[in-house]
Amino acid sequence: MDGPSLFSGSESDDGTFVPFTDILFNALLGFAMMVFIAFALIRPDAKSGIIDTNAEFIITTTWPDDNEDDIDTYVQDPTGNVVWYHSMQKGFVTLDRDDRGNYLDEVTVNGVKHHVALNQETVSVRGILPGEYIVNIYHYTNPTNAAVPVTVKVEKINPKVSVVYYDTLVLDKKGDEKTVIRFTVDADGAVSNINTVPVSLIQAVRKG
């Protein structure tokens, strides 16, 4: 059979096929970009519940709710700096909250006063400084005239949360000071040499 073939590309293509594929490709590319942008905008909301504590260690001191006594936390870093209520930030160590028992334990929300029963102090260590850290507690005021059980927790935050220390000690009276824990941190943040050999940080700050 003579004559042009029905499937001959050079004679059947009228020049409209190539522009059509370009338009289709650009449309698909535009749709893909819109989907990418939509997911990029959604991701921050998905992470809204994540809290970055930005700390290497967190030290938490608590005593019975609504107790009137004032318990203080003292932390000494490897350079000899002591963080306490009169010096709330030294180097990497910060006293984030100084709790004074029932004193000023009220917050106002929408014009309504609410009593906060929690007695808690928090100290953060926001960087790795190799050497020994010392944690003491001190019975500053004792209006109850009774012994107070004080719970201290030391947590290592990075690379994952682990408990270095957790225990309850009893402060018997005003002026009572106890060494809760002493521990050594190396350059990688590893903890060793945990002990409770007593040392007075009250005397350290008085000398300072």
Side-chain angles (χ1 to χ4, degrees), residues 55-203:
E56 298 295 331
F57 295 88
I58 294 179
I59 301 161
T60 307
T61 302
T62 58
W63 60 103
D65 293 349
D66 273 329
N67 186 282
E68 297 179 60
D69 292 11
D70 184 358
I71 307 299
D72 290 323
T73 308
Y74 286 68
V75 178
Q76 179 174 285
D77 73 6
T79 67
N81 289 323
V82 179
V83 167
W84 56 304
Y85 67 88
H86 266 320
S87 184
M88 297 180 68
Q89 195 277 324
K90 289 284 188 179
F92 290 136
V93 185
T94 304
L95 174 60
D96 298 312
R97 185 172 190 271
D98 174 34
D99 195 306
R100 301 172 64 183
N102 273 352
Y103 182 67
L104 297 179
D105 269 4
E106 286 186 345
V107 295
T108 301
V109 179
N110 295 327
V112 180
K113 288 186 177 181
H114 298 270
H115 176 67
V116 180
L118 178 67
N119 285 325
Q120 177 177 290
E121 294 196 345
T122 305
V123 177
S124 298
V125 181
R126 293 189 167 88
I128 297 297
L129 182 64
E132 185 185 48
Y133 292 80
I134 303 173
V135 181
N136 280 17
I137 51 175
Y138 178 67
H139 206 155
Y140 184 68
T141 63
N142 185 213
T144 62
N145 292 313
V148 179
V150 182
T151 300
V152 180
K153 178 168 62 174
V154 179
E155 297 171 283
K156 186 177 185 297
I157 304 303
N158 293 313
K160 62 180 181 180
V161 177
S162 60
V163 177
V164 176
Y165 175 92
Y166 182 87
D167 204 356
T168 300
L169 294 81
V170 176
L171 294 178
D172 297 315
K173 60 185 182 303
K174 178 180 177 179
D176 195 8
E177 178 187 11
K178 289 188 177 179
T179 296
V180 177
I181 181 176
R182 301 171 68 164
F183 61 96
T184 301
V185 177
D186 67 15
D188 296 323
V191 177
S192 63
N193 194 29
I194 297 174
N195 66 89
T196 58
V197 177
V199 60
S200 175
L201 297 185
I202 299 296
Q203 294 300 322

